[in-house]
Amino acid sequence: MTTATATATRVRILRAAERLLGRDPDCALAEVAAAAGVARRTVYGHFGGRDGLVRGLVEEAAEAVRHALSGPGAPVPGDDPATALARFVRTLWPVGDRYGTLIALARRRGLGPDPVHAVLGPARDTVAAIVARGQRTGTFHTVVPAGALGAALEAHLLTLLTCARTGTWEDDGRGAAVAALVVAGVEAGRAERIVGRGAEEGVGPVGGDGADLTGGGGMRSVGR
């Protein structure tokens, strides 16, 4: 088997696992193999078993997070803290929507904190810096320390992702961004304006308050 063929086979297995394990964490590896069009032993040959397969998915998720955080919609040094947090949420929302189930699966498999940290570590570092700066400048509340506020934001966003995956809430990341800003202490109307500006321009938020570009309706309909 050539390297290119082996790589293509591995990717096919990962895509099948992403679909099937996302729907049923207890799905048999034989089903994953069948969906990928390979023999069960091929799955074992590439990943060694279920835990290795989950680790492969988590590694992909970690790379996707790193890529998103370096992409054009990610926070940049010149952003004010509120804009930076809104950009962060909107940039990571598609990644979280895809891989949130896999993070939960890694935790369920008892793989320890390392796989989860591999995915969330860069995101946690980014949020920590944004929150600390926001508290220093008075943009975010200081009711709790920066570390605790960052952890609260993470838990809040992961819960919203779960709601989106289970169909109890529909969002494209804008509603989640508004919610994150409100949790951090930004007044709701201002939060809607910041996120609305980015939505109008088709990218992550790119400025401070600015005018209300949402026609007065804000982002209240995003969560639908």
Side-chain angles (χ1 to χ4, degrees):
M1 181 184 294
T2 67
T3 300
T5 300
T7 299
T9 299
R10 178 184 173 87
V11 170
R12 254 197 349 270
I13 294 170
L14 287 169
R15 295 289 69 75
E18 181 185 329
R19 293 193 307 273
L20 297 182
L21 292 178
R23 292 198 298 263
D24 177 12
D26 297 316
C27 174
L29 290 189
E31 294 180 56
V32 174
V38 300
R40 187 168 178 266
R41 65 176 177 274
T42 303
V43 176
Y44 278 93
H46 278 275
F47 299 99
R50 183 180 294 270
D51 285 353
L53 184 55
V54 172
R55 285 184 186 277
L57 290 168
V58 170
E59 288 169 4
E60 276 197 337
E63 177 58 30
V65 168
R66 289 191 292 269
H67 181 74
L69 288 175
S70 64
V76 297
D79 289 335
D80 65 87
T83 297
L85 182 57
R87 278 185 181 271
F88 170 85
V89 175
R90 293 198 62 201
T91 298
L92 268 292
W93 187 258
V95 178
D97 189 39
R98 180 178 181 184
Y99 291 112
T101 297
L102 304 178
I103 294 171
L105 181 60
R107 286 172 170 163
R108 175 175 174 173
R109 294 293 299 172
L111 298 184
D114 289 345
V116 175
H117 181 73
V119 177
L120 297 181
R124 286 169 173 165
D125 292 343
T126 300
V127 168
I130 293 171
V131 168
R133 186 158 57 91
Q135 288 190 329
R136 285 196 307 271
T137 60
T139 305
F140 302 151
H141 69 72
T142 56
V143 175
V144 296
L149 180 55
L153 284 168
E154 177 184 314
H156 182 71
L157 290 169
L158 288 175
T159 298
L160 292 180
L161 280 167
T162 298
C163 292
R165 289 197 308 274
T166 57
T168 58
W169 190 52
E170 184 179 348
D171 187 44
D172 62 1
R174 288 178 289 173
V178 170
L181 288 173
V182 171
V183 169
V186 178
E187 186 272 328
R190 182 180 175 226
E192 291 178 345
R193 288 193 294 273
I194 292 169
V195 176
R197 171 171 289 199
E200 286 286 320
E201 299 187 7
V203 295
V206 293
D209 290 334
D212 186 347
L213 301 177
T214 60
M219 302 301 297
R220 300 186 196 283
S221 64
V222 172
R224 287 189 297 278

